[in-house]
Amino acid sequence: MKTDVVVLGAGIVGVSVALHLAARGRSVVLLDRRGPGEETSYGNAGLIERASVIPYAFPRDWRSLWRYARNNTPDVSYHTRFLPRIAPWLMRYWWHSAPQRLERAAQAMLPLIERSVAEHDALQEEAGISGFFRRNGWIDGVRTQAGLAQAVADAEALAPYDLAYRVLDRAALAALEPSLSPRLAGAVHWLDPVNVSDPGAVTRGYAALFERRGGRMARGDARSLQASGGGWRVQAEDGPVDAADVVVALGPWSPDVLRPLGYRIPMAVKRGYHQHFALENGASLSHPVADIESGFVVTPMTLGVRLTTGAEFAPRDAPPSPVQIARTRKLAGELLPLGAAVEREPWMGCRPCMPDMRPVIGPAPRHRGLWMAFGHAHHGFTLGPVTGKLLAAMITGQAPEFDPTPYRLGR
């Protein structure tokens, strides 16, 4: 099989890259060992997070550091034996989280964040999946008046970004979401973000649009990638695929493919979990709600209310741990009358994170025709379509809408 471009990875980023390349007239094969949207793109809170203009930084105050060091919080946990291995990466993450460097990261990410909703909108209607999209924002809930005051202050500090939000006291929050318990003292309701009821189905819908545009799907092992005759070859189940260009969009597995080519990617993963629950006593939920003091999100999804956890630092391929779901299940049950779990076991996925809190998007520095699109951390679902558009422009020699330099690997 010969094609112009082979895209490795059928998550939201890889599917979006393939879609935009096909729209520019390139023949494209999208290769993955599984179906589209079955890994990290399946298990998230379903947010297109237009309001997250400041990246998730490493805490630098001693109170937060001591809190997390005890390893008993609902929002962050770690495997003790893994700490020596990840400590160098954590130190780089901490270094990049200093105020001036965090501001540079925020400015680098802003062009992507600002276009996130618009680029999803450009695809979802043609894909015929508009029914999954809800334009009611999301809610940052807090349990104390002190927490509400801090949340409002944090929102006011984002005034330069011209984000839309409203402050909800307890009565206003109860009017908006009557089934939430009075344990939430109030909230900040962010209005710019969009949320979806099934992120995996959205990714599959984009993949179906890719095929309607003439793209081809293939099953195969991306680790078989090798240079071949001035281009690239990868083995699919139906035989080899040859292409002039290859895009590595494999999220947390990208370093596995790039390491044999001599690239050492400074990536770590933040593992996360979700599980769906039924609601009891006629309760309902219409907005995603974050308990920002506890570090979890509950989102109304097709399968039920999805409880999504914070970050677990552990080896990427280590067996799942029930710790975070167990901690957050109890806390979430204080906010909503959660009933039986829909799945027998929680789902686990891995967020691919770079220490400077920005993804890698662009050409490889030492190999012609090798392109990269990974490392989106907590915002892969948010930034998939805008990443696809940016990289497709670069591959086809078109002028990108904004400067891609902050995302180059050699930064």
Side-chain angles (χ1 to χ4, degrees):
M1 187 186 302
K2 294 184 182 296
T3 189
D4 294 331
V5 188
V6 59
V7 177
L8 305 178
I12 188 67
V13 174
V15 168
S16 298
V17 172
L19 255 178
H20 280 284
L21 285 168
R24 286 161 173 77
R26 295 297 174 94
S27 62
V28 185
V29 171
L30 180 59
L31 181 139
D32 202 307
R33 63 183 179 180
R34 302 183 66 181
E38 294 186 10
E39 294 285 0
T40 311
S41 297
Y42 169 75
N44 54 73
L47 298 173
I48 304 170
E49 234 308 50
R50 172 63 183 84
S52 283
V53 293
I54 307 297
Y56 290 102
F58 195 99
R60 296 179 66 86
D61 63 285
W62 69 267
R63 288 184 178 85
S64 295
L65 292 172
W66 171 243
R67 175 174 174 264
Y68 291 131
R70 291 181 292 173
N71 201 22
N72 60 2
T73 65
D75 51 337
V76 176
S77 66
Y78 59 87
H79 291 195
T80 305
R81 293 182 178 180
F82 184 59
L83 280 184
R85 289 172 53 188
I86 200 174
W89 185 89
L90 289 173
M91 288 301 298
R92 295 179 69 175
Y93 184 18
W94 176 86
W95 188 83
H96 282 289
S97 297
Q100 289 185 337
R101 299 183 189 99
L102 180 59
E103 174 61 23
R104 288 198 291 270
Q107 292 305 311
M109 292 299 294
L110 191 58
L112 296 170
I113 294 291
E114 286 180 329
R115 293 166 171 82
S116 58
V117 172
E119 296 304 335
H120 269 280
D121 285 346
L123 298 178
Q124 52 94 358
E125 186 170 352
E126 185 179 356
I129 55 173
S130 300
F132 292 114
F133 287 70
R134 297 179 296 229
R135 301 185 183 276
N136 58 356
W138 77 302
I139 294 170
D140 269 345
V142 292
R143 295 181 179 231
T144 64
Q145 289 299 323
L148 181 58
Q150 184 60 56
V152 172
D154 291 343
E156 291 174 345
L158 299 179
Y161 298 99
D162 196 28
L163 298 171
Y165 67 91
R166 55 178 177 162
V167 178
L168 305 175
D169 61 14
R170 174 60 209 156
L173 180 58
L176 192 63
E177 288 288 358
S179 296
L180 286 174
S181 82
R183 284 182 177 267
L184 285 183
V188 173
H189 182 195
W190 297 98
L191 303 175
D192 296 291
V194 173
N195 63 87
V196 303
S197 59
D198 191 334
V202 169
T203 304
R204 293 192 298 272
Y206 289 166
L209 176 59
F210 163 69
E211 291 187 287
R212 293 199 297 273
R213 287 180 173 177
R216 290 174 287 178
M217 304 286 296
R219 294 288 183 103
D221 188 344
R223 293 173 297 183
S224 65
L225 179 70
Q226 60 182 355
S228 175
W232 299 92
R233 170 171 288 186
V234 64
Q235 294 295 324
E237 290 180 354
D238 296 333
V241 181
D242 293 298
D245 294 284
V246 61
V247 177
V248 177
L250 291 159
W253 297 277
S254 298
D256 297 357
V257 172
L258 294 169
R259 192 176 300 113
L261 299 174
Y263 296 96
R264 297 295 182 265
I265 309 299
M267 179 191 289
V269 300
K270 297 179 184 178
R271 305 203 315 178
Y273 298 82
H274 84 231
Q275 196 166 18
H276 295 94
F277 296 89
L279 290 179
E280 296 181 331
N281 305 323
S284 63
L285 186 70
S286 57
H287 298 75
V289 177
D291 183 336
I292 60 176
E293 293 167 311
S294 303
F296 66 85
V297 180
V298 285
T299 307
M301 293 278 183
T302 303
L303 292 178
V305 171
R306 178 179 291 186
L307 170 61
T308 308
T309 72
E312 178 189 56
F313 291 98
R316 184 192 66 189
D317 301 323
S321 165
V323 171
Q324 280 196 307
I325 280 287
R327 290 174 181 169
T328 54
R329 167 66 180 83
K330 179 180 179 181
L331 291 167
E334 295 173 353
L335 304 186
L336 284 166
L338 298 183
V342 175
E343 306 98 338
R344 177 176 298 180
E345 299 293 336
W347 178 93
M348 185 196 77
C350 298
R351 308 175 184 98
C353 302
M354 303 296 288
D356 63 352
M357 297 163 284
R358 66 191 79 168
V360 176
I361 306 171
R366 300 192 302 273
H367 289 81
R368 182 180 178 85
L370 177 61
W371 303 85
M372 303 180 183
F374 52 78
H376 293 74
H378 297 261
H379 294 315
F381 187 75
T382 292
L383 300 179
V386 66
T387 296
K389 187 175 184 180
L390 176 63
L391 189 61
M394 298 167 68
I395 293 172
T396 57
Q398 299 176 344
E401 293 182 353
F402 52 93
D403 182 12
T405 303
Y407 323 117
R408 69 189 188 281
L409 180 63
R411 62 183 185 260

